């Protein structure tokens, strides 16, 4: 047999090849805004999968950051050097509006957050995790606008500019050795110095994008109460106005499974100068940093859906080129079924995150309807945790769909898989987010508001010939979720054990409702695939089984 040479799969233009993204945005934006945004999205879609940008991303992955603690003459400098490829991807993003768009009133107004979601979906998977500082920069800008003072307006301008020469990035230094999830255990202490300036003392254990000009962080004013009741939110700069280093020591860079182009460091704050964000009211810290967290969690979900979309694009590109058993791979029914389920998960994740952006955009512009903030309060953690789980399963499946070459580094698929694995850990694990959903449900009826919104979306579709069966499955799922939620109110231990299936079930059910509604809209335009996606979600089962009854098995207890 003659030597066989496999044709290399090529990633297509990310915008024109992604029907799910284009239809989702068309549905949410409406014809006029979609037509206005399409040229920008089309241009970006072509750029992010061209050879230049893909080469930059691959090079950034191969050139990890380096910590230089001392100058040649022994002076402590704590420089972090990143790949110039990584920096260039960041500049490309800033120019494309990844930090600016949500804050620009023209031309998209209240829909800017949605157009931005399109921009992030395209740029993120090609950014070698330059998307991480973007998430925190956006979260910091929003937090300073909501809770900061006039003196911070110039900083917000730098955080939200499209000019890479002026742009600042922000970090979020929240995690400490005792508390990644339990932030109330923060040990960093804030004290006023002799000049009345606040200074911070403590260790920050995971600080990503550590080359950022500034960060928001939590600290406990000396003598403040324990737990989150004693925390205050501060702004810290790496360099001070006169160009000198703030009193921050880089202990070391983390050696991570993935996100290798992105610097993540351990920091020692040794009396670092800091400014409280707003009045340093005792106990306001977690509430204020929650503004940032809710934004970064939407970014995280966009990262998840972007990764799954990119895995799917690779799997499709390969299936187009590969021939097996005498047929093109994409014609084999088993393979088509697998890729279909990948596309269903991608569509479900994107539906959730676009709905988050729709509601967040209205909230940011002060035009949200009554009750929408409760829906968004619950939808944000539900979206973050659901898309995180789906993306890991999805990119792993995409790697399998590509076979052995997909397992080899030079295909770039292993980097995609590694980088996706941080998503459920970063900004709160699946269980921590599920408990957040539970708290939001019990404190402000936010779960009920979200489920009611899901019912409202499909209420008039139960007798529809195309969507009726799916709509009825959604009604049944909402009944089950409401029943579990009521039972949980009387059983705190059982509620915690059942929080995860409740939250995941809410994610699938609400995504199905969104796609059912969108599918009805699309069918009127002659497109049937979204209704079929919603139907497939419903057939697979919307609500996972309740938690196991016997939890002694977990730790092998008798
Ligand atoms: C990109 C690559 C990265 C590379 C590597 C990274 C590796 C990962 C490193 C990490 O560690 S990532 C950080 C992961 N950690 C988290 O995301 C934090 C997880 N914990 C939570 O989310 C907790 O729920 C939280 C700290 C927010 C709250 O816990 P607490 O201390 O028990 O506070 P509490 O009493 O629940 O809330 C305090 C106030 O904030 C309340 O308001 P009030 O004071 O008015 O009563 C809450 O309602 C409010 N709040 C809490 N969460 C909120 C919120 N408000 C709005 N939205 C929320 N999400």
């Amino acid at each position: 047999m003659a030597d066989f040479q496999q044709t290399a799969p090529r990633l297509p233009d990310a915008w024109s090849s992604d029907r799910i993204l284009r239809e989702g945005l068309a549905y949410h934006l409406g014809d006029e805004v979609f037509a206005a945004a399409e040229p920008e999205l089309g241009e970006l879609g072509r750029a992010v999968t061209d050879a230049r940008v893909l080469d930059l991303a691959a090079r950034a992955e191969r050139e990890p950051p380096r910590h230089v603690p001392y100058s040649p003459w022994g002076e402590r400098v704590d420089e972090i050097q990143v790949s110039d490829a990584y920096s260039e991807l960041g500049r490309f993003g800033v120019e494309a509006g990844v930090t600016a768009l949500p804050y620009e009133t023209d031309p998209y107004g209240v829909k800017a957050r949605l157009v931005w979601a399109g921009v992030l979906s395209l740029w993120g998977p090609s950014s070698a995790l330059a998307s991480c500082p973007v998430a925190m920069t956006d979260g910091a800008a929003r937090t300073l606008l909501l809770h900061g003072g006039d003196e911070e307006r110039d900083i917000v301008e730098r955080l939200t500019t499209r000019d890479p020469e002026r742009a600042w990035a922000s970090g979020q230094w929240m995690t400490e050795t005792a508390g990644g999830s339990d932030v109330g255990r923060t040990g960093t202490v804030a004290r006023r110095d002799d000049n009345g300036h606040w200074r911070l003392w403590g260790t920050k254990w995971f600080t990503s994008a550590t080359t950022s000009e500034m960060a928001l962080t939590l600290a406990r004013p000396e003598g403040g109460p324990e737990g989150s009741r004693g925390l205050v939110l501060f702004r810290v700069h790496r360099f001070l106005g006169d160009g000198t280093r703030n009193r921050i020591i880089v202990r070391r860079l983390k050696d991570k499974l993935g996100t290798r182009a992105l610097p993540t460091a351990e920091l020692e704050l040794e009396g670092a100068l800091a400014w409280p964000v707003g009045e340093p009211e005792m106990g306001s810290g977690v509430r204020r940093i929650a503004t940032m967290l809710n934004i970064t969690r939407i970014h995280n979900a966009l990262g998840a859906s972007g990764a799954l979309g990119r895995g799917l694009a690779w799997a499709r590109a390969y299936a187009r080129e590969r021939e097996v058993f005498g047929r093109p791979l994409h014609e084999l029914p088993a393979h088509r079924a697998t890729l279909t389920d990948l596309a269903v998960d991608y569509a479900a994740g994107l539906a959730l995150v676009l709905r988050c952006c729709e509601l967040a955009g209205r909230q940011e512009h002060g035009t949200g309807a009554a009750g929408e903030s409760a829906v968004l309060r619950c939808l944000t953690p539900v979206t973050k945790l659901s898309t995180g789980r789906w993306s890991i399963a999805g990119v792993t499946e995409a790697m399998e769909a590509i076979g052995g070459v997909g397992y080899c580094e030079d295909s770039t698929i292993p980097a995609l898989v590694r980088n996706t694995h941080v998503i459920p850990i970063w900004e709160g694990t699946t269980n921590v987010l599920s408990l957040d959903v539970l708290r939001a449900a019990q404190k402000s009826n936010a779960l009920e508001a979200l489920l009611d919104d899901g019912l409202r979306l499909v209420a008039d579709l139960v007798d529809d010939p195309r969507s009726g069966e799916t709509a009825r499955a959604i009604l049944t799922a909402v009944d089950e979720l409401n029943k579990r939620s009521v039972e949980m109110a009387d059983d705190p231990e059982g509620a915690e054990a059942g929080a995860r299936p409740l939250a995941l079930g809410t994610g699938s059910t609400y995504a199905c409702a969104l796609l059912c509604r969108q599918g009805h809209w699309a069918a009127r335009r002659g497109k049937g695939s979204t209704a079929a996606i919603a139907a497939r979600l419903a057939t697979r089962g919307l609500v996972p089984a309740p938690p196991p009854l016997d939890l002694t098995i977990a730790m092998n207890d008798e």
Side-chain angles (χ1 to χ4, degrees):
M1 193 170 137
D3 267 356
F4 169 77
Q5 176 60 58
Q6 173 63 49
T7 309
R10 297 249 173 266
L11 273 182
D13 164 342
W15 173 249
S16 65
S17 67
D18 192 338
R19 286 172 50 184
I20 288 173
L21 177 62
R22 279 189 291 124
E23 189 192 293
L25 282 175
Y27 170 65
H28 284 282
L29 291 176
D31 292 341
E32 204 177 309
V33 181
F34 183 78
E38 191 165 23
E40 187 177 349
L41 294 166
E43 193 184 329
L44 187 62
R46 282 186 293 281
V48 295
T49 47
D50 75 13
R52 189 189 78 88
V53 170
L54 293 179
D55 285 350
L56 282 174
R59 186 153 70 77
E61 289 284 347
R62 287 194 305 271
E63 296 175 357
R66 212 166 66 88
H67 173 211
V68 181
Y70 295 100
S71 78
W73 304 101
E75 183 193 358
R76 186 94 204 187
V77 288
D78 277 324
E79 255 182 56
I80 296 173
Q81 297 172 349
V82 297
S83 165
D84 59 355
Y86 173 77
S87 303
E88 193 169 338
L89 290 166
R91 284 194 296 273
F92 170 43
V94 166
E95 284 176 345
V98 292
T99 44
L101 234 167
Y103 301 88
E104 293 170 347
T105 41
D106 279 336
Y108 305 119
V110 72
K111 304 266 173 101
R113 240 322 141 199
L114 278 162
V115 177
W116 164 86
V119 168
L120 251 280
S121 298
L122 297 169
W123 171 79
S126 292
S127 75
L129 266 291
S131 51
C132 171
V134 164
M136 298 187 287
T137 302
D138 187 358
R142 183 90 191 120
T143 305
L144 294 180
L145 278 175
L146 271 187
H147 307 295
D150 287 343
E151 69 282 7
E152 275 143 344
R153 291 296 177 260
D154 284 352
I155 295 176
V156 171
E157 193 277 321
R158 281 187 176 270
L159 296 174
T160 59
T161 177
R162 282 188 190 233
D163 176 1
E165 299 307 315
R166 289 185 46 71
W168 273 20
S170 176
Q172 171 192 278
W173 302 347
M174 195 167 68
T175 297
E176 299 199 357
T177 47
S181 299
D182 187 358
V183 173
R185 295 184 69 187
T186 293
T188 297
V189 172
R191 288 190 202 113
R192 282 188 191 271
D193 66 15
D194 294 343
N195 299 317
H197 298 135
W198 286 100
R199 292 193 175 271
L200 307 188
W201 305 81
T203 306
K204 298 292 174 182
W205 178 237
F206 264 98
T207 65
S208 282
T210 327
T211 46
S212 302
E213 284 77 7
M214 57 162 278
L216 297 187
T217 192
L218 292 170
R220 192 178 310 282
E222 203 166 24
E226 292 199 344
S228 50
R229 288 179 308 120
L231 296 178
V232 165
L233 182 62
F234 288 89
R235 166 170 56 88
V236 190
H237 292 200
R238 272 199 320 128
F239 292 93
L240 302 175
D242 61 3
T244 56
R245 287 170 51 240
N246 205 349
R247 293 193 204 157
I248 301 165
I249 298 293
V250 178
R251 288 191 352 177
R252 59 175 170 165
L253 290 179
K254 297 288 195 186
D255 185 6
K256 297 166 290 178
L257 170 71
T259 70
R260 289 186 183 165
L262 167 79
T264 300
E266 292 169 21
L267 299 180
E268 204 70 64
L269 310 182
E270 296 188 332
L273 197 58
W275 297 266
V277 177
E279 279 303 305
E281 179 196 322
M282 197 63 84
S284 60
V286 171
R287 202 169 53 244
R288 289 182 190 169
I289 208 168
T291 301
M292 183 169 196
L293 280 179
N294 288 334
I295 294 279
T296 52
R297 285 172 180 169
I298 293 177
H299 278 260
N300 179 295
L302 270 167
S305 77
L308 180 43
R310 181 56 62 86
L312 177 61
W314 271 121
R316 282 175 170 158
Y318 179 66
R320 263 184 217 108
E321 300 298 342
R322 185 70 169 164
E323 206 178 285
V324 272
F325 310 124
R327 288 168 77 184
L329 178 56
H330 66 85
E331 284 184 6
L332 297 187
H335 204 64
R336 290 186 84 85
T338 301
L339 295 191
T340 299
D341 273 325
L342 272 185
V344 167
D345 287 341
Y346 173 51
L350 200 62
L352 290 179
V353 80
L354 290 181
R355 177 69 172 151
C356 277
C357 291
E358 182 177 44
L359 297 178
R362 291 213 278 264
Q363 199 172 74
E364 286 163 1
H365 285 78
T367 59
E372 273 186 13
S373 65
V375 174
L376 183 60
R377 172 68 186 90
C378 194
L379 181 60
T380 304
V382 161
T383 299
K384 194 276 186 196
L385 71 93
S386 303
T387 53
R389 298 309 324 161
W390 297 338
S391 66
I392 290 203
V395 297
T396 308
E397 190 73 75
M399 178 164 70
E400 185 177 336
I402 298 166
V405 177
Y407 192 65
C408 294
E409 287 292 337
D410 55 2
S411 73
T412 73
I413 305 298
L416 177 68
V417 174
R418 280 197 300 268
N419 293 344
T420 306
H421 271 270
V422 81
I423 283 173
I425 298 170
W426 170 47
E427 304 303 49
T429 60
T430 311
N431 281 356
V432 166
L433 271 284
S434 300
L435 295 174
D436 185 47
V437 171
L438 199 62
R439 267 199 309 273
Q442 291 169 352
K443 203 170 153 181
S444 57
N445 287 335
L447 177 64
E448 200 184 335
L450 180 62
L451 293 174
D452 281 353
D453 195 56
L455 288 181
R456 184 191 58 76
L457 286 165
V458 298
D460 62 338
L461 298 180
V462 282
D463 297 321
D464 183 79
R466 184 193 295 267
S467 308
E469 201 174 333
T470 311
R472 290 192 295 277
I474 291 164
L475 261 51
T476 307
V478 169
D479 276 349
E480 169 66 16
L481 293 164
N482 274 325
K483 187 166 115 308
R484 286 195 200 176
S485 167
V486 169
E487 285 165 6
M488 285 173 170
D490 300 325
D491 175 13
E493 288 283 310
E496 288 202 12
R500 183 182 177 121
L502 182 80
L504 284 167
T506 302
S508 299
T509 304
Y510 192 72
C512 191
L514 290 166
L515 289 168
C516 195
R517 183 84 251 159
Q518 183 183 320
H520 185 68
W521 168 88
R524 280 190 276 127
R525 298 179 162 218
K527 293 176 181 158
S529 61
T530 303
I533 287 173
R536 175 63 185 161
L537 266 174
T539 325
R540 286 192 331 204
L542 294 172
V543 184
L549 290 175
D550 185 353
L551 301 184
T552 61
I553 299 163
M555 298 304 289
N556 213 17
D557 301 334
E558 281 304 320

